[in-house]
Structures are given as structure tokens and as C-alpha cells.
Amino acid sequence: MKPVEELRYLVLAVQREGNRILAAQLRPLGLTPSQAEVLRVLHDHQPLTLSALGHLLVCETTASPSRLVDRLVSQGLVQRATDPDDRRYVTLTLTPEGRGLERQVADAEDHLYGLLERLVAGERLDETVQLLRKVADEFPAGQALAHRRESSPPRPA
């Protein structure tokens, strides 16, 4: 197996297991990992237009995650409102129910991050993160994450 092939499959394996663990944590909340990502991004960046939200999501590679948002609106977690500065735009914000559920999503993510921190305890992650950023930044999902990194205040550890 070529080293780059193994890298590909290692990233895939870690991503799938992380998603499986997160999905299990989110199931009692009635959310998928993609829906949870929308709630977290809105929490950090609201109000957002649908297009702006699409540029910040890793789970969606299209600029318009309308079906995903439609589901969250129908669940009463996200609210659409006409932008007061430009009526041609609709902005998205979390409802009070969405804010409450977002906090539970953050707790579920923290569970996963705690597990990952235990698995990599004592390891130097800087070089690994830099390598993965170099590769990911060449693709839309990696670029979405880069936009989030650039526009988000640091989260407490």
C-alpha cells in the first residue's frame, strides 16, 4: 500500500468512527451530524444567509443547503427572516429551541473531543494538523473549515 493510499484510508476510518460516535450521541436529540453542524455554525456566526451558511459547512459541498435548513425550520430550531437591510435576502438564526438544542450538541461534541484527546494524549498534533490542513484546503469542505477558523473566536479548551 502506498503511503498516500494509507493516509486516505486512515483519514476515512477516523472520520467514519468519529461520525458514528457523534451520531450515537445525537440520536436521542433527534438530529443528524449534518443538522448538528448547522446549529453549531449558526450559533457561532448568526445571522447568516443560506448562501453564507453553505460556505461555512463541511457536511455540504453545495453553496445552498436548503433541504437541510428546511428540515431544521420545520422542527422549529431555525428561523428564517427577511434581512432588514436588504429585503432580497433571508437570514437564518436559531430559535430559542434551537439555542437550547445547540448547547446539547456542543456537549455531544465535547464527549467526542474528550475521547479523541485521550487517544492522542502525549502526541504532538501540530504537524499532523498542518499536514491535514494543507490537503483539506484544496477542497471545498476544507475551505469551509478554513473560513470558520478565520472568522470564529477561539473556543475554550
Side-chain angles (χ1 to χ4, degrees):
M1 179 179 286
K2 296 180 192 178
V4 293
E5 180 182 7
E6 184 174 9
L7 173 66
R8 173 185 168 222
Y9 282 108
L10 287 170
V11 168
L12 180 62
V14 170
Q15 185 276 331
R16 286 205 173 154
E17 288 305 312
N19 208 46
R20 184 188 60 74
I21 292 166
L22 183 60
Q25 292 287 311
L26 296 172
R27 198 168 294 116
L29 305 178
L31 294 172
T32 66
S34 296
Q35 292 168 332
E37 184 182 357
V38 170
L39 296 183
R40 296 290 292 128
V41 169
L42 282 175
H43 172 266
D44 291 343
H45 301 280
Q46 68 184 352
L48 287 172
T49 64
L50 190 61
S51 175
L53 174 65
H55 289 294
L56 296 174
L57 293 177
V58 174
C59 67
E60 289 278 325
T61 55
T62 64
S64 180
S66 55
R67 284 189 300 158
L68 189 53
V69 169
D70 288 345
R71 178 77 173 130
L72 294 170
V73 168
S74 72
Q75 289 176 287
L77 303 174
V78 172
Q79 173 179 304
R80 287 189 178 101
T82 303
D83 188 317
D85 297 326
D86 189 337
R87 298 189 60 74
R88 295 174 295 173
Y89 293 102
V90 172
T91 57
L92 305 170
T93 56
L94 294 176
T95 64
E97 295 82 7
R99 285 192 298 275
L101 204 52
E102 180 278 329
R103 191 67 249 146
Q104 294 178 64
V105 168
D107 291 343
E109 288 178 345
D110 287 343
H111 171 81
L112 174 61
Y113 301 151
L115 171 64
L116 291 172
E117 285 173 346
R118 287 189 297 281
L119 291 172
V120 299
E123 299 295 329
R124 293 187 54 204
L125 295 181
D126 294 346
E127 292 92 8
T128 304
V129 170
Q130 285 299 105
L131 173 64
L132 292 173
R133 278 183 186 166
K134 180 179 179 178
V135 175
D137 285 352
E138 296 299 316
F139 300 98
Q143 293 162 9
L145 188 57
H147 292 304
R148 281 169 42 187
R149 228 181 10 255
E150 294 161 3
S151 63
S152 291
R155 289 185 61 193

